[in-house]
Amino acid sequence: MELWERSSALDLLDALLHKSAAGGRIALVPGEAGLGKSALVTAFAERCGRRARVLWGGCDRLVTPRALGPLHDIGRQAGGVLAARLGAGAAQEEIFAAFLDELSGPRQRPRPVIVVEDVHWADEATLDWMALLGRRIGRLPVLLVVTYRDDELGSGHPLRGTLAMLPGAVVRRIPLLPLSPECVGEQARKAGRDPALAYRLTGGNPLLVTELVKAGGRAVPGAVQDLILDRLRALPAPARDLARLVSVVPTHADAAIVAGAADLVDICVDAGVLISAGDGVSFRHELLRSAVEDALSPPRRAELHRRVLDVLVGVPGIDPGRLVHHARHAGDFRAVLRYGQSAGAGAARQGAHREAAAHYRAAIDHAGRLSPEQHAGLLERYALQAYLAGLLVEGLQARHQAATIREELAQPEQVAENLRWISRLAWWTGHSAQALEAADRAVGVLAAGRPLRQLAMAYSNRAQVHMRAYEHGAAIALGERARALAEQVGDVETAIHATINVQTARLADEAGDAQAALEEAHERAAANGYVDLAVRAKLNLACVTAEELAQYGNAVALIDGALRYAREQNLDGYAQYLIGARANVRMQRCDWAGALADADAALARPGQFAVTAVMPLVARGRIQAACGNPDAISTLDEAARRAGQIGEAQWLAPVAAARSEYFLWNGDADRAADEARQCLELTAPVHQPFQLGVLAYRLWRAGATERPATAVASPFQLMISGSWAEAAAEWAARGATYLRIEAMSAGDPPAAVEALRTLDSLGATRAAGCLRAALRRRGVTGMPRGPRRSTTAQPAGLTVRQVDVLALLADGLSNAEIAGRLTLSRKTVEHHVSALLAKLGVANRVQAAAAYRNHGSAR
């Protein structure tokens, strides 16, 4: 394709390649289909010449994406250790290490350029690889060029999270715009077309312009499908059949597929239908390929997929994921069952849990051909990958089916293992009663047997149930029993599992050595490849520190560390949970923009579960309530519904406390007292001083005189007794900024006025209004009058102009585009963007956009 109006983009890529000598750079090339992303990077690769070694990978539009597809492409070009590890199906960390060695090795002259195309179709392992490269690219002399269709990125698309993690200092976005009317008109006139009509038909899309020009003087087609099909009809029948065969192969057709058809390939290439691609052929663009494939009748399409499958089965080292794709479209259920299992196992080894689950699920649809034991084993492998990918309902259903089959086969050990997983998954999906029942059944199935691994794990799982219910003594006793039994039979995995339960309970009881023990458990689990246990050790350490010990300052780094590990291992469910937990910590530390961005991210995932929803809902609801947002009560109602579904104190208490706070701010002290009182009565048997403390404090704030008989955490007791200065000091030591403000609001006039100023700066208009009224009743004078109306459009106190800039930024406009829209200089827009990032307390434009979506509804 001829390159039109792309010289500035090429020059920018040249500049980034030059700068990469002093530290890596990342070029993001977004744009809709047909805007010339591939043509741009191809022209850039040609321009590089001997200055760079271009390694090229792409993502395919398969039913289930290839695990590490682009890296496999790059490995074939690079050879050496990287290719060997990829070919051997090595673990993800070994493959990534080989890739980094390939970039930094002494033979890397000229400089490496890594091109990854169409990452909107990437699997999770590929996104993980990109994130890893992004973290290290500043120390490598490499340019990473990434193309993607930004119009296909919905709010929950996983690529958004990966792009947000890339270091902003080395990233440059190179958006491609449609061709100008002048350019389109010039090409149309050369082809004898009406310029105005050509622009109206193509919208300046370079691919459509090219196809229109190639159509010559023939009648003007109405769509891209007509353009390519018109050209296809002009081919001889055998060449037309070959092109149709190529159309069912995403990205490009291998040499084996077109073997023996060199003359037909030449005819298709000469006619502009196909182009050479690597060792095979392809259509010029995925749009054109899809247009031809979509025009096929279903029987014809299935027949062609069968032909491709028959060829690819004989290709050494073929990715089984590709075989599954063609087998599914061919309706070859035996092949789907066979290759789906091998593709699932391969994706699992490479950490692509979502893709592994998809392959296993495809195989399960045809598992009636397997023996009962094989069927149960397939369900169990699928359930594990579904759990690791955060597909919890699917995993739970598969475990129930597997348990039923194992019971029919009279296999108690496997029945108990499935029951243990049912307990785990039931809790994750908010069914705590079912979780308890399954845990007890697992123990009962095995209790009369000899000391087996499954019995040790069943005990450990039961200890975990006790630990979650704050029954720390029972958790420690049963956990130690499980650990001893596991060590007796040499079961390292169960010993680590039990250790995590024991040390989590001890940490909640403030045992001084529990943190180090959990960190050691993480290291041991990671070293043995038990990623689920490794992340659970980190998560428990972080969340107990935040939610049960109220050490918010220490919790920040712990949550971030756990989140990094969860993302590195593609553990989506854990990552979602941790983001929600971080939302609450950021809210307590008065980083409300960050809290709302985290709440947004945690709640955006489809099929939200109670245990991942409650804390981000509480964080969002409390901020909305403080800001006077009318949506606050609906948010807190949803939090109450979710917490009630689980029925555990760790969820019920923070929700009840937040609702009590809301009703008190809205003038209903009786309802505020009832919310706190009812939850306090329900959770009174629980030994958790901070959960009980916040309820006791809310009850006292609502004017009630009764006091709980159980222990209340010290800073809450200080607030209730009127020792506001001591309480504020203790909250400050814990990094609990918002609770410190609340303690100070009850203090002497200088302290209360300082608390008021902080609330004003947060945009907490309802909370600040209530405090102002209370201070007036106390006779306090000289209070700040609060922010002007023009600066309360956002809780961060942005000016009207900054809100305008932020709204356009959230729509994806660049600084230059914002300047044009608002009739400002680009430098002025840059100043506005810097100021609003600082006020929102966020690091980049992606986080600012997320904050805007939340704050916009909090006015």
Side-chain angles (χ1 to χ4, degrees):
M1 181 189 297
E2 186 178 350
L3 206 60
W4 299 309
E5 297 189 330
R6 297 294 184 250
S7 58
S8 60
L10 281 171
D11 291 343
L12 184 50
L13 286 170
D14 264 338
L16 292 173
L17 177 60
H18 177 73
K19 291 178 181 178
S20 68
R25 294 292 189 274
I26 301 173
L28 302 180
V29 186
E32 68 180 30
L35 275 186
K37 301 182 293 296
S38 294
L40 174 69
V41 294
T42 299
F44 172 63
E46 293 172 354
R47 181 186 283 198
C48 285
R50 296 182 178 179
R51 293 181 299 158
R53 179 190 185 207
V54 181
L55 298 173
W56 209 296
C59 303
D60 303 321
R61 192 180 185 179
L62 298 174
V63 174
T64 300
R66 289 189 298 158
L68 292 177
L71 197 50
H72 278 275
D73 295 339
I74 290 168
R76 282 191 289 273
Q77 299 161 51
V81 176
L82 176 59
R85 288 186 179 173
L86 284 163
Q92 189 184 85
E93 57 268 24
E94 295 178 5
I95 293 171
F96 289 179
F99 171 73
L100 293 174
D101 288 344
E102 179 69 28
L103 295 186
S104 56
R107 65 187 182 89
Q108 283 303 321
R109 299 292 183 272
R111 196 173 311 137
V113 171
I114 306 298
V115 176
V116 186
E117 290 204 84
D118 296 322
V119 293
H120 52 281
W121 290 325
D123 65 288
E124 60 182 334
T126 293
L127 297 180
D128 198 29
W129 163 62
M130 282 179 52
L132 172 118
L133 179 55
R135 289 193 297 271
R136 289 162 173 74
I137 201 164
R139 301 189 295 274
L140 297 168
V142 61
L143 172 61
L144 171 65
V145 182
V146 177
T147 75
Y148 58 96
R149 297 184 189 174
D150 53 351
D151 58 334
E152 294 191 13
L153 303 188
S155 60
H157 197 290
L159 178 57
R160 286 191 178 276
T162 302
L163 296 179
M165 286 190 287
L166 298 176
V170 301
V171 173
R172 185 64 185 269
R173 194 168 178 267
I174 309 177
L176 300 182
L177 300 176
L179 301 175
S180 67
E182 294 76 17
C183 178
V184 176
E186 179 184 352
Q187 303 308 319
R189 280 188 290 272
K190 290 179 181 178
R193 296 286 192 182
D194 176 79
L197 181 60
Y199 189 77
R200 180 167 61 81
L201 286 171
T202 65
N205 184 293
L207 175 66
L208 299 186
V209 173
T210 300
E211 294 302 312
L212 194 66
V213 168
K214 285 181 177 291
R218 285 168 284 171
V220 178
V224 65
Q225 187 175 50
D226 297 315
L227 288 166
I228 186 64
L229 293 180
D230 189 49
R231 191 172 306 137
L232 197 66
R233 281 190 287 268
L235 293 175
R240 189 162 58 244
D241 289 342
L242 177 72
R244 287 170 175 157
L245 178 67
V246 172
S247 78
V248 302
V249 186
T251 308
H252 81 280
D254 312 65
I257 295 172
V258 295
D263 291 342
L264 298 178
V265 168
D266 289 342
I267 293 172
C268 291
V269 171
D270 291 342
V273 173
L274 299 179
I275 61 172
S276 297
D279 61 352
V281 293
S282 72
F283 285 81
R284 179 179 295 105
H285 195 280
E286 185 68 12
L287 275 178
L288 305 181
R289 184 198 69 78
S290 298
V292 176
E293 183 182 22
D294 292 345
L296 298 170
S297 67
R300 179 65 165 152
R301 187 182 303 126
E303 176 198 343
L304 294 174
H305 277 289
R306 159 55 65 190
R307 287 176 56 187
V308 172
L309 177 63
D310 289 343
V311 171
L312 293 182
V313 163
V315 175
I318 192 69
D319 185 340
R322 294 183 63 192
L323 301 180
V324 175
H325 174 83
H326 293 292
R328 292 176 71 172
H329 284 293
D332 187 337
F333 303 136
R334 289 182 181 276
V336 172
L337 181 59
R338 177 181 179 184
Y339 298 117
Q341 293 185 75
S342 58
R349 282 194 302 272
Q350 295 179 347
H353 304 299
R354 186 171 293 273
E355 284 68 34
H359 286 307
Y360 282 136
R361 184 167 54 243
I364 285 170
D365 289 342
H366 311 291
R369 303 172 185 272
L370 299 174
S371 70
E373 187 155 4
Q374 290 172 327
H375 188 183
L378 175 56
L379 285 165
E380 288 157 357
R381 292 192 295 277
Y382 165 63
L384 176 60
Q385 294 305 311
Y387 165 71
L388 293 174
L391 305 172
L392 305 179
V393 171
E394 293 91 331
L396 180 59
Q397 292 170 345
R399 286 290 177 184
H400 276 297
Q401 294 174 42
T404 299
I405 296 173
R406 296 296 189 183
E407 285 176 342
E408 293 171 352
L409 293 172
Q411 297 175 328
E413 297 173 18
Q414 290 85 348
V415 170
E417 181 70 1
N418 279 297
L419 286 170
R420 194 264 297 187
W421 275 107
I422 288 169
S423 175
R424 180 74 175 144
L425 288 161
W427 178 82
W428 269 104
T429 54
H431 300 92
S432 55
Q434 184 183 352
L436 177 58
E437 178 190 7
D440 286 340
R441 281 187 63 202
V443 172
V445 166
L446 295 166
R450 54 192 172 85
L452 302 169
R453 173 196 176 278
Q454 286 81 3
L455 180 57
M457 185 60 89
Y459 283 146
S460 185
N461 184 69
R462 193 64 182 82
Q464 188 174 358
V465 173
H466 285 304
M467 179 264 292
R468 289 197 304 261
Y470 298 138
E471 297 165 354
H472 296 154
I476 293 170
L478 199 53
E480 289 291 9
R481 182 178 181 185
R483 185 184 58 77
L485 183 56
E487 291 180 349
Q488 178 184 338
V489 297
D491 181 3
V492 174
E493 182 179 5
T494 301
I496 297 171
H497 189 279
T499 297
I500 292 170
N501 296 328
V502 168
Q503 297 305 329
T504 301
R506 294 184 69 245
L507 179 67
D509 284 342
E510 302 189 73
D513 60 343
Q515 177 170 341
L518 281 171
E519 290 171 344
E520 181 182 343
H522 163 76
E523 296 296 337
R524 189 180 179 197
N528 282 277
Y530 304 135
V531 294
D532 176 54
L533 297 182
V535 74
R536 197 165 72 83
K538 277 186 167 290
L539 181 148
N540 286 7
L541 173 57
C543 292
V544 169
T545 299
E547 297 161 11
E548 298 178 34
L549 301 180
Q551 294 284 358
Y552 297 109
N554 296 339
V556 174
L558 294 173
I559 290 178
D560 286 346
L563 185 57
R564 278 194 301 274
Y565 184 80
R567 283 171 168 163
E568 287 169 359
Q569 301 299 326
N570 295 314
L571 302 173
D572 291 356
Y574 282 110
Q576 187 181 18
Y577 185 103
L578 285 160
I579 291 170
R582 191 173 65 183
N584 185 57
V585 171
R586 285 177 161 175
M587 185 276 299
Q588 294 284 11
R589 291 179 61 78
C590 291
D591 173 12
W592 284 7
L596 289 171
D598 277 346
D600 228 18
L603 296 170
R605 184 187 180 96
Q608 183 66 235
F609 300 108
V611 296
T612 55
V614 172
M615 294 316 295
L617 284 169
V618 168
R620 177 188 285 176
R622 291 192 68 189
I623 293 171
Q624 289 174 333
C627 296
N629 184 335
D631 292 337
I633 188 58
S634 61
T635 301
L636 293 174
D637 283 346
E638 178 64 10
R641 186 183 74 81
R642 298 285 193 156
Q645 181 184 0
I646 308 170
E648 294 178 348
Q650 63 175 307
W651 313 108
L652 295 170
V655 172
R659 290 170 63 82
S660 177
E661 180 181 57
Y662 169 85
F663 288 116
L664 186 62
W665 278 338
N666 286 273
D668 192 344
D670 290 341
R671 180 71 183 273
D674 286 344
E675 290 282 343
R677 182 184 295 112
Q678 290 171 13
C679 189
L680 194 56
E681 291 171 355
L682 186 66
T683 59
V686 169
H687 176 66
Q688 217 305 303
F690 281 94
Q691 300 283 26
L692 298 173
V694 70
L695 292 170
Y697 172 70
R698 294 295 166 209
L699 186 63
W700 173 78
R701 286 278 287 121
T705 57
E706 66 262 41
R707 299 288 180 268
T710 52
V712 171
S714 168
F716 285 118
Q717 189 60 57
L718 289 169
M719 293 167 80
I720 293 170
S721 66
S723 302
W724 66 268
E726 292 89 338
E730 185 163 344
W731 286 129
R734 293 174 178 274
T737 310
Y738 197 41
L739 283 162
R740 174 179 174 270
I741 292 169
E742 191 155 7
M744 291 174 63
S745 68
D748 59 24
V753 168
E754 181 185 339
L756 182 59
R757 291 184 189 280
T758 305
L759 290 174
D760 284 340
S761 72
L762 289 169
T765 53
R766 177 60 55 83
C770 290
L771 179 55
R772 275 191 176 82
L775 293 179
R776 289 191 192 100
R777 290 192 296 271
R778 288 168 53 184
V780 176
T781 60
M783 289 181 287
R785 69 179 209 178
R788 293 175 298 163
R789 186 174 184 82
S790 64
T791 62
T792 57
Q794 296 289 329
L798 304 185
T799 66
V800 172
R801 179 56 82 193
Q802 287 168 349
V803 173
D804 292 339
V805 171
L806 180 57
L808 296 175
L809 181 153
D811 285 339
L813 273 66
S814 67
N815 286 353
E817 292 166 334
I818 294 171
R821 188 75 63 86
L822 298 179
T823 320
L824 300 171
S825 72
R826 184 167 178 171
K827 183 62 71 176
T828 298
V829 171
E830 289 174 356
H831 288 315
H832 280 313
V833 171
S834 296
L836 66 87
L837 291 179
K839 285 186 176 183
L840 291 173
V842 297
N844 55 48
R845 299 165 76 96
V846 173
Q847 293 176 358
Y852 170 76
R853 286 189 290 272
N854 284 285
H855 286 174
S857 64
R859 298 183 192 193

